[in-house]
């Protein structure tokens, strides 16, 4: 009997999509206005979900307070009010598309969550564009 | 060819998280402010989903009006404006964590829905914390 | 390593639920006020999701701008500010229930999206009623 | 000491914007795709607010249950699952723009609400377009 | 030149509507299921707004961080995970209707905010019921 | 008889709060993490409202399509996917706080809207922080 527990969080960041090994023409062609060299930004909203059995002692799959604190230390403290390209080591050589960001977040959280729990991360870049990664 | 049909509903309730076989120190340690002996409360939001083939006669998987009425009689009438610990029999001996509530709701609905349909229940305790159960 | 990319869109349309081979009594019994012969309408909200590997060159599963344009040409241009029963060929002989609409949309989009990508469509008829189809 | 009390409600309806005394060219020029002769539709969301002193006996400005029932009888029963142009007498000779609808709703509610209370109605035609009328 | 700055916050609480000087019949007649002697509860959402001139030095009307911390100490710490009737002194002899709660919150905040700023508080008891107080 | 018509829009941008005439210590003290020299960013959501009499010919206060196009040309084209400090002339010497941004937007729109209409702009920096300006 497995239940999924989800927690919503958020961070605000600047970023730019481009490849340093491409020239401006190619970068503009592929990334359009997301390639602005002066950066643009988003309010990223995050839903982190863990799935597993209910602990019969507590009635919890995982204490949401622990999940909340983990998201704060691993994601919010690391990404909030940052420039993803310049301030966050994981994106020094990785284009910070929503797809790449959600995989980075999943990997950061995965190592702190019990292996008995499945992990899913949904990342909203805007209320209209979002991505999901389950480690699959 | 299977389609999932979802219906949103809601109820407001008080609850308290604790175990009567634990002392106050242990209850506070595990459940924190959710252990307030005078109770606190939530606007619970609910999404009930059924998945199955489209009836070629009606174009429905299940008439949403029937699903809505079922949620009303099984969930809203039973839980709305109630104290889950004191007024709802299912929680007389079960800690009303979101995880336990979603399983109770799923079990109540399951017996009234055709076995040809899969059932999933999502329960929002707050807009930031929610749980999902699929009977798996 | 597969990521799901989702895009939200919307269209406004009128429709009526009924079967021309049923008499009024039967249509009213099954479809209730949705059978109003003068039609009623909805703001349909749509979430289209594609799942597949991240292209290591671009960091994209699929360029969201391409997905957005595809939804515009296949769904919004075809359905927005239309009467689904009278103006949209797919519903000439198909009852425009949410279930049937979501399958029609999925089929329209499927033929324009790479077969390496899985496709899921969620359609909100109202904020309280919605359906999902994955082609399964 | 005055407090404003608000209640949210909703109805789904079809409509068409046009003037019978204008020809098709003029109607299309002014009303664009909203002039589809086969109609289109919306999920209208409504926020009704009354402002006045708190009754020291009950702690209420107005019992929200009474306000809810009034919105149901005056607005939802009259407009829900209707074609505004064809089924609703107020729009027989009045173009059902959001502006005209909100004034009609305000006038219908005003005569049932105590004159000691100010009344405001907000009407969402879509989540992106909405109107407000205060009787001013 | 005055700008309004708003901050959203939230707390979860239990409450019960009744008057100790009325008998059960009268309390049930007036307050219905809100009079459950075992309490029910809500996720209260709060929007606090201050209006005043922009400080030309900082570009702020009021630093939102200061407003956020003030809401936390005066409202969230005092009301969150509490039983309003039993745990919050202001409601020992005051019926905790949404109207009375919003006035209590406004009064608590008013004395900590510069008199050069106007103050407005909106309180959502549910997403469908909310109240507003401006001190007027 | 005046009705308010509102239209929602959005843009994504990077920015940084600081004063070039203050040293780093003072900038950090006042603007905290919003002073990151590498910028951060937001999904700004915008609600533009105009208030005036209903044109008896059209039933419109102002054609929402015209308002939508005006917001696109004056706000979205100018601010979307931009760095407010570096790319937008209005903020070359003006700190891009939410308060200053909303006044700039109001001034840009005001000169294109009939003087018979009142104008109000609400700007969400995040779903939790927002500002409003009415020209008052």
């Amino acid at each position: 009997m497995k239940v999924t527990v989800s927690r919503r969080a958020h961070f605000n960041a600047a970023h730019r999509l481009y490849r340093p090994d491409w020239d401006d023409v190619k970068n503009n062609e592929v990334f359009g206005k997301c390639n602005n060299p002066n950066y643009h930004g988003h309010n990223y909203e995050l839903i982190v979900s863990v799935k597993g059995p209910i602990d019969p002692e507590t009635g919890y799959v995982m204490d949401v307070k622990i999940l909340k604190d983990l998201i704060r230390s691993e994601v919010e403290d690391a990404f909030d009010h940052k420039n993803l390209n310049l301030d966050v080591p994981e994106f020094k050589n990785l284009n910070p598309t929503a797809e790449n960001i959600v995989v980075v977040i999943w990997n950061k959280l995965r190592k702190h969550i019990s292996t008995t729990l499945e992990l899913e991360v949904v990342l909203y870049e805007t209320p209209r564009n979002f991505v999901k990664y389950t480690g699959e």
Side-chain angles (χ1 to χ4, degrees), chain A residues 88-104:
Chain A
V88 180
E90 283 86 352
F91 301 108
K92 278 277 145 62
N93 298 301
L94 182 67
N95 202 4
T97 59
E99 289 93 327
N100 282 334
I101 302 171
V102 79
V103 171
V104 164

Side-chain angles (χ1 to χ4, degrees), chain A residues 5-12 44-50 62-80 82 102 104-113 119-123:
Chain A
V5 172
S6 298
R7 173 75 194 174
R8 186 179 271 269
H10 52 89
F11 61 90
N12 310 320
Y44 291 93
E45 296 273 334
L46 199 67
I47 298 173
V48 177
S49 301
V50 293
M62 177 180 177
D63 185 341
V64 173
K65 202 190 162 310
I66 293 172
L67 184 57
K68 176 187 174 184
D69 290 345
L70 182 63
I71 300 170
R72 179 164 299 157
S73 64
E74 290 301 310
V75 183
E76 293 177 345
D77 289 351
F79 293 3
D80 190 37
K82 297 288 169 64
V102 79
V104 164
I105 291 172
W106 191 92
N107 284 328
K108 291 191 75 169
L109 294 173
R110 180 67 276 180
K111 62 183 69 136
H112 297 281
I113 289 172
L119 174 65
E120 176 190 288
V121 179
V122 175
L123 179 72

Side-chain angles (χ1 to χ4, degrees), chain A residues 110 112-118:
Chain A
R110 180 67 276 180
H112 297 281
I113 289 172
S114 161
T115 54
T116 60
L117 300 175
E118 298 170 48

Side-chain angles (χ1 to χ4, degrees), chain A residues 14-16 18 34-41 83 85-86:
Chain A
H15 79 154
R16 172 196 181 186
Y18 82 116
C34 297
N35 177 38
N36 180 354
N38 288 332
Y39 309 99
H40 65 285
N83 182 309
N85 303 73
L86 301 180

